[in-house]
Structures are given as C-alpha cells and as structure tokens.
Amino acid sequence: MEHRLPAPPLIDARALDLDQALQLLQQAGAALPDGEPRSQAWLQALLDALCDLSSKDALTGLVNRRSFEMALAREVDRVARSGEAALLLMLDIDHFKAINDTHGHGAGDEVIRAVATAVAQTVRPMDLVARVGGEEFAIILPNCATHVGLAVAERVRERVSQLGIPVGSGQVLQVTISLGGAFAPQWVRSSPLLWTERADRQLYRAKAEGRNRACLEPQVDSLVSAEEKGMLFAPLNPDTQQDLP
C-alpha cells in the first residue's frame, strides 16, 4: 500500500512579516513587486526579486561570488560528463589601487562598473561573467574550443583598453586589465578549486610579465594535475554506480 505524505499546511500570507524584505529591495534600488499586495503573484514577484538580489553584485549587476562558485561547480560536472572544452578566465583591473588613491573611491566604482559592462558585452550570452572581488572578475565560457581561447581573452582585453571612462570634473580615465585562463580537463572530474587555481596562476604570470596582457595555460592536455588524475576514474555519482563485472 502506497503511503503519501500529508500536504503541508497552507500559510496565511497576511500573517507574514514582509517589512524587512521590502526594505532590502528599497535599499538596493530594486523595483518593488507590482500587483495586489500579498496576492500570490505579488508574493512570487517578491521572492523572485529577493533571489535576484542575493545572486547579483550590487555595484555592477553581475553575478556575485557565491553564484559564480555554484555555476563553476556545475560546469566542472558538465565537462566531466560531456567532454566539451570549457574555459575559465580570471581577470583584474591593473593598478586599481592607484585609481582609488588618486581619484577617489567614487571614481573607482565608475571604473569597475564600466569594465563590468564592457566585459559582459564582449562575451557570448551563454557565458557567465562574475565580480568575485573588489576589482576582480571571472568568466566561465562553456563549450569554448581550446584553439580560440586566447583570441577570446585578447578580445576582452582590447575592449577594456579602448574604454574612456568619465569619472567627474571632466576627467576621463583609461584602464587596462590582466587575464589568466585555464581549460577544464576534459573527461576528468576536477574540482572548482583546482580549476580556479590554474587560472589564477596564469593571471599572476600576466601581471609578472608586465600587465595588460592575457596568459593562458599552455599544452592543456598535458597539464592535468596529480589531484585531477586521481579523480579521473572517480564515480560521478557513487550512490548510483553499479559494480563492474
């Protein structure tokens, strides 16, 4: 005989204290829900707005670090299952501290917003651009062939270098970025941390070589780390894997 769980009790929307949720949206400059307050459509819009607020960076509107890490984990799993190449680019704004020190933090914010917009407009709609730190960004590029990775990174770098960013008092700034990239090892169950570390190493190399450049990990196929090699035959889902004969 099939046992069904009892239906959860209905919640009276009139009993919910939603003032803090509405204040959060107002403080973030987000639009408040339309429609009849506490109606089903209004409550759904409120939940959607709160989810959007928790996943986005307030300054740029890009995906924030938490959402980036979740997306990166999903992409690691997808690459291991499909074998399709995927590129992770880490980038930051060169000499950003000098911009803040010379022109103020307001100017720094304008620079961050302008760079974020330029990067997001340069990559494909399917690519994910995130702000992961103060002046640090990351881009996940699914299904990105290894032979075009450097061209993509160079296109992003060039787009930012061509910006003229107004920062008040008639001043227009030009900035550059450094980028480092690594491909996820195909058919290997890697980890987000290992993938990020590989891209970060290339970013450090770009800075050490003079900044305003893109460096990608060379010889992708031969640079699988010992940790990733150990994961090669690890089951993607141990709970469902069947014993081999």
Side-chain angles (χ1 to χ4, degrees):
M1 182 177 178
E2 183 181 357
H3 295 281
R4 295 183 179 180
L5 295 175
L10 296 177
I11 298 175
D12 187 351
R14 293 171 298 180
L16 296 175
D17 183 0
L18 302 175
D19 289 345
Q20 187 173 5
L22 293 171
Q23 288 174 8
L24 284 173
L25 293 181
Q26 288 179 320
Q27 291 169 359
L32 297 179
D34 293 327
E36 180 65 26
R38 300 181 182 272
S39 65
Q40 181 176 340
W42 186 90
L43 287 171
Q44 185 61 59
L46 178 61
L47 290 173
D48 291 343
L50 290 173
C51 288
D52 190 60
L53 184 62
S54 69
S55 65
K56 297 291 182 64
D57 171 61
L59 180 63
T60 64
L62 297 178
V63 166
N64 61 21
R65 187 179 191 95
R66 180 174 60 179
S67 295
F68 161 74
E69 291 174 347
M70 294 171 62
L72 192 65
R74 291 194 297 270
E75 188 61 21
V76 163
D77 184 65
R78 191 194 66 81
V79 170
R81 292 177 183 273
S82 70
E84 292 180 352
L87 175 63
L88 172 62
L89 292 174
M90 306 297 293
L91 62 103
D92 66 19
I93 303 170
D94 296 327
H95 305 294
F96 184 73
K97 184 177 184 301
I99 295 173
N100 276 338
D101 292 345
T102 303
H103 303 282
H105 289 278
D109 287 349
E110 292 299 327
V111 168
I112 288 173
R113 275 194 287 261
V115 170
T117 300
V119 173
Q121 291 176 347
T122 305
V123 298
R124 303 168 298 180
M126 66 186 290
D127 301 326
L128 183 140
V129 183
R131 184 185 179 205
V132 296
E135 72 274 20
E136 300 170 354
F137 301 85
I139 312 172
I140 303 174
L141 300 104
N143 195 18
C144 180
T146 55
H147 66 277
V148 301
L150 185 58
V152 172
E154 281 292 339
R155 186 166 68 240
V156 173
R157 185 194 63 78
E158 290 176 4
R159 174 68 181 273
V160 172
S161 70
Q162 295 167 359
L163 291 175
I165 306 170
V167 293
S169 303
Q171 292 181 304
V172 177
L173 299 183
Q174 289 187 296
V175 298
T176 61
I177 57 173
S178 298
L179 304 96
F183 285 88
Q186 293 169 273
W187 302 112
V188 177
R189 190 185 180 203
S190 184
S191 73
L193 178 60
L194 291 172
W195 195 8
T196 303
E197 287 178 346
R198 299 174 97 171
D200 274 335
R201 283 198 293 269
Q202 299 308 310
L203 175 57
Y204 299 148
R205 181 162 72 95
K207 292 179 179 180
E209 292 181 3
R211 294 184 171 87
N212 189 24
R213 66 191 62 212
C215 292
L216 264 63
E217 185 178 70
Q219 299 176 344
V220 173
D221 294 335
S222 64
L223 287 178
V224 177
S225 69
E227 293 93 336
E228 288 160 340
K229 287 178 181 177
M231 294 178 179
L232 179 57
F233 298 105
L236 289 174
N237 190 344
D239 294 331
T240 60
Q241 187 190 37
Q242 297 179 351
D243 293 334
L244 296 176

